[in-house]
Amino acid sequence: MAEHDFRYNLLNPEHTLIECRALAPGRYQVTGNGGSIQGGDSLLVTLKGSKDLSMRLQVEKVRHLINPPGQWVAVAHGPVFGELAIHTWQVKCDSCDKQLDFEFAVDASLGKKAQAPAAQARIHELGWRSVGERHLCPRCQKEA
């Protein structure tokens, strides 16, 4: 089992994601070029509408196409979203005033109440910590 990185920010023309679409919640069809994809592999793909968010998909089956050479179509499973929404928020470190602008994904069908927990989870992924309403950047955490 290998991991293949198809995020847009890599800009690698030999290793390109052509399309990733939802077949059903948690089930995706991915079309790409290059990478020698096999069943059981994992794919990192950029979320549509995001600059830096990605999701990990597990390949169930893959079909390698004869024409064009190197192109493949895979069926994979991954995160379950009813309706994906990308939000941009910012927080400031309460110790040094450093600002973090970040994106996070949330299932829009869950409503506004799901945004704060999703934002907190993303802040923690980026190495920041929250204590109540206070936020600390990684550098200030080390100093504390």
Side-chain angles (χ1 to χ4, degrees), residues 4-13 15-17 44-47 50-55 103 122:
H4 305 274
D5 199 339
F6 283 92
R7 292 176 288 185
Y8 292 138
N9 60 358
L10 296 179
L11 299 174
N12 184 353
H15 212 88
T16 308
L17 180 70
L44 277 174
V45 298
T46 302
L47 291 177
S50 171
K51 294 176 192 164
D52 61 356
L53 291 176
S54 60
M55 68 178 167
E103 293 180 318
R122 180 67 177 150

Side-chain angles (χ1 to χ4, degrees), residues 1-142:
M1 290 199 283
E3 183 173 279
H4 305 274
D5 199 339
F6 283 92
R7 292 176 288 185
Y8 292 138
N9 60 358
L10 296 179
L11 299 174
N12 184 353
E14 295 86 35
H15 212 88
T16 308
L17 180 70
I18 297 168
E19 179 186 41
C20 181
R21 65 185 182 101
L23 298 173
R27 195 162 166 84
Y28 301 88
Q29 178 177 303
V30 184
T31 305
N33 204 19
S36 301
I37 307 301
Q38 303 297 320
D41 287 355
S42 63
L43 305 174
L44 277 174
V45 298
T46 302
L47 291 177
K48 184 177 181 178
S50 171
K51 294 176 192 164
D52 61 356
L53 291 176
S54 60
M55 68 178 167
R56 184 177 316 279
L57 303 175
Q58 296 294 348
V59 176
E60 294 173 9
K61 60 184 176 179
V62 65
R63 183 170 46 104
H64 295 274
L65 305 178
I66 295 171
N67 199 4
Q71 190 168 330
W72 48 265
V73 177
V75 174
H77 62 276
V80 177
F81 291 108
E83 181 183 340
L84 180 66
I86 306 289
H87 296 280
T88 304
W89 281 10
Q90 53 183 226
V91 293
K92 279 193 176 180
C93 178
D94 290 307
S95 184
C96 70
D97 271 348
K98 179 179 179 180
Q99 182 171 301
L100 172 68
D101 296 312
F102 66 99
E103 293 180 318
F104 65 95
V106 66
D107 190 337
S109 64
L110 298 176
K112 262 196 164 326
K113 66 179 184 209
Q115 288 181 8
Q120 289 296 333
R122 180 67 177 150
I123 289 169
H124 288 232
E125 283 177 21
L126 296 171
W128 285 55
R129 292 292 169 249
S130 302
V131 180
E133 292 295 313
R134 295 179 44 84
H135 297 96
L136 291 175
C137 69
R139 185 179 61 110
C140 291
Q141 290 175 51
K142 289 178 186 173

